């Protein structure tokens, strides 16, 4: 199992159009100037995997994850017009185009989807790839998708047990946090081994 | 249960030793110790101390190392946990920030080796680490909006 | 008391604007805002928001910047406090760790300028910053014991 | 006012002999490999200025500040023999030489002294230089000195009001902490300005 593709829409500094990263096994380096959006890519992956802690997502509240390209101005329109291929699957195309026809105020603001290569069947789903997606609406509601089908969060959480090395997500090391792992006290270190077995 | 824990402990300890020795070309060593006071305490309730000895320095507990030394120790412990349960991927965000050139090179070597068994996605600003990658994504902002560009490394490594 | 606070606030705000504009060669701007809800709340109990706008990016609160951007914002605020009470010295320990080359150069410029008014002692691993120093101390360990060596910069800078 | 000289004896990775840094105004850069002792120099300065927080000094207890060059082995003897000039003032020379004659168990283990240039009389003491020193004994006791005279800690604290930019010591930024200053909330930021005026 590894991450094959990440698709980001409207998450933090990523505009409301689809930005796609096609990945491979091995060592993938992400580089670029300060403030370009590198950490936001890792945040987007954590978000799709169900991360809800505002501290881990580095925002004051979840609504701040919604792309906002000027102080307070939700430039919704300019982000959606045509730039870049809108790789969102058909099930959400209807969403993007149909804002006006959708009577409730709910508008899809953010979507991140992750496609895992599952040829080794590491994830207990019988398909060569497994796609987990999370959408957040501007009213704060979330929806999760597994291979295109709407599921509730607990279905994803069971899958994640395989994907995340430890319940405390030790395989995701955020910016500035690496030294903390060497500063664990003896009980914390033991608990980490206990969590895994 | 006791057996299960002690097997798991030995596996991680063995891996910690092997990773750290590889990173320091045999000049350093690291290991885990169970604080069971020489067998008098129950191993199911004792803590685990992480000892690290950098080349030509005395052995110290990981908590009293320097910033850069803690980074190397942390990655050693993290990767050693693979021996219990392999993680499908790692996401590392500028873990090399406080490393000098010697430790950056050590980190590059171990990450390069471990990435061959799975997937490591690493954000870094250092050319020396980017050069070790199989694939590079460049990220840049245009008017506050992030864009990404992929570079394939010529396979001729 | 109210007058005292509002004078102090204006001085720090003016200094924040001037430092950040200098650092970004006029392309960026930063400022402080009192959250007194347009005068309806008492200024003695309202908080202070720190707004930062990096070149060709929208203005954002300092809390929602990236890691490197936060470093530049933090140093701006810190040095701006000088306008209230000059600190006889600063001790900075690898504050440049998460900076790219453009922001490292910006930091070097402001630290160089401010050090002329007092004293800044800065630990860094980056040659670009060491090159800006008036005096350099090299530190190395021999058998786990720290030793120091001083280098004088040729005055011909 | 600026720091003119720092003398370190037996503090963390610095041996039990005197290590001296002669400083000047302007920009002083300290550089060197990981684990060489750079942060320990800044810790030594904070220690001499009265810092008692084990978290800030990056130890589990204050005794861990005492130089220890092998797991548990206090190599007291080897550090004291002759290497480097022992610049400690006469009043403590008696200490170093006289361990056996000093009947109580108290042995000086750590000493850090800082000499400030005070030609602008920024520190309210009428002398061109002001030296603050702190000794710690292996029984954990501390003694403070001001220009060579034994004083109690509160005398130093009053002087420090001048030397530290803010009571929360904002002019000392520890390794890995700089981003936190940009993450202060509005109340914290206001309180910092209030503290100074
Ligand atoms: N909701 C949002 N809408 C638009 N931009 C945002 C939003 N939230 C954060 N940003 C901006 O995204 C930018 C990129 O942040 P990110 O932390 O990913 O940068 P980075 O590439 O990791 O930089 P560094 O090297 O400094 O760590 C920042 O400038 C930040 O202000
Ligand atoms: N009481 C002590 N006795 C001897 N050595 C100690 C003591 N306490 C800490 N040390 C050691 O001092 C060394 C230097 O630590 P310091 O944090 O100053 O390094 P540094 O130069 O800042 O390195 P980095 O660049 O990694 O931050 C470490 O290897 C640490 O283990
Ligand atoms: Mg970042
Ligand atoms: Mg350090």
């Amino acid at each position: 199992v590894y991450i094959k593709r990440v698709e980001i829409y409207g998450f933090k500094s990523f505009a409301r159009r689809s930005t796609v990263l096609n990945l491979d096994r091995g060592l993938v380096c992400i580089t670029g100037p300060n403030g370009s959006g590198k950490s936001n890519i890792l945040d987007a992956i954590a978000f799709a995997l169900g991360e809800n802690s505002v501290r881990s997502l580095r925002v004051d509240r979840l609504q701040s994850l919604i792309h906002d390209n000027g102080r307070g101005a939700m430039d919704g329109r300019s982000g959606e017009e045509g730039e870049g291929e809108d790789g969102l699957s058909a099930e959400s195309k209807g969403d993007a185009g149909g804002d006006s026809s959708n009577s409730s105020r709910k508008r899809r603001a953010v979507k991140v989807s992750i496609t895992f290569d599952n040829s080794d069947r590491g994830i207990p789903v019988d398909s060569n790839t497994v796609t987990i997606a999370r959408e957040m609406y501007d009213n704060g509601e979330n929806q999760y998708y597994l291979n295109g089908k709407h599921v509730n969060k607990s279905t994803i959480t069971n899958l994640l047990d395989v994907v995340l090395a430890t319940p405390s997500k030790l395989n995701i090391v955020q910016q500035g946090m690496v030294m903390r792992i060497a500063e664990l006290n003896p009980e914390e270190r033991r608990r980490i081994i206990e969590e895994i077995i | 249960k006791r057996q299960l824990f002690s097997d798991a402990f030995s596996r991680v300890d063995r891996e910690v030793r092997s990773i750290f020795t590889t990173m320091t070309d045999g000049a350093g060593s690291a290991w885990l110790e169970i604080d069971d006071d020489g067998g008098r305490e129950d191993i199911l309730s004792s803590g685990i101390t992480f000892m690290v000895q950098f080349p030509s320095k005395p052995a110290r507990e990981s908590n009293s190392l320097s910033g850069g030394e803690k980074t190397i120790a942390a990655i050693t412990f993290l990767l050693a946990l693979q021996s219990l349960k392999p993680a499908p991927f790692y996401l590392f965000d500028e873990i090399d920030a406080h490393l000098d050139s010697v430790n950056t090179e050590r980190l590059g070597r171990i990450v390069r080796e471990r990435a061959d068994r799975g997937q490591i996605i690493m954000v870094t600003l250092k050319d020396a680490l980017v050069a070790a990658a199989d694939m590079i994504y460049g990220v840049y902002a245009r008017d506050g909006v992030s864009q990404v560009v992929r570079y394939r490394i010529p396979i001729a490594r």
Side-chain angles (χ1 to χ4, degrees), chain A residues 3 13 21-22 24 26-31 33 36 39 69 161 163-165 171 173 182-184 186 189-190, chain B residues 43-44 46 48 62-63 70 85 88-89 91 93 115 118-120 122-124 134-137 139 143 146 150:
Chain A
I3 299 176
S13 55
L21 287 88
N22 288 308
D24 214 340
L27 179 58
V28 179
C29 276
I30 299 177
T31 194
S36 53
S39 298
N69 204 10
D161 195 38
V163 169
L164 297 171
N171 51 331
V173 181
E183 293 168 355
L184 295 171
R189 212 169 274 126
R190 142 195 203 86
Chain B
I43 108 169
L44 283 184
S46 2
I48 295 175
S62 73
N63 308 45
K70 277 180 180 166
K85 182 184 166 200
F89 64 86
L91 304 183
D93 196 346
Q119 183 184 49
I120 294 180
M122 185 161 80
V123 173
T124 177
D134 297 308
M135 178 191 293
I136 304 170
Y137 263 96
V139 188
D143 298 328
S146 293
R150 195 174 79 178

Side-chain angles (χ1 to χ4, degrees), chain A residues 10-16 30-43 57-59 62-70 175, chain B residues 93-94 123-125 139-141 144-146:
Chain A
F11 181 88
K12 287 194 168 185
S13 55
F14 289 88
R16 266 182 291 283
I30 299 177
T31 194
N34 286 149
S36 53
K38 304 181 297 293
S39 298
N40 288 346
I41 293 172
L42 301 193
D43 291 345
L57 294 170
R58 304 181 300 140
V59 287
L62 286 186
Q63 270 81 346
S64 302
L65 295 173
I66 300 172
H67 178 65
D68 163 5
N69 204 10
Q175 194 167 351
Chain B
D93 196 346
E94 299 193 28
V123 173
T124 177
L125 302 180
V139 188
Y140 62 96
V145 175
S146 293

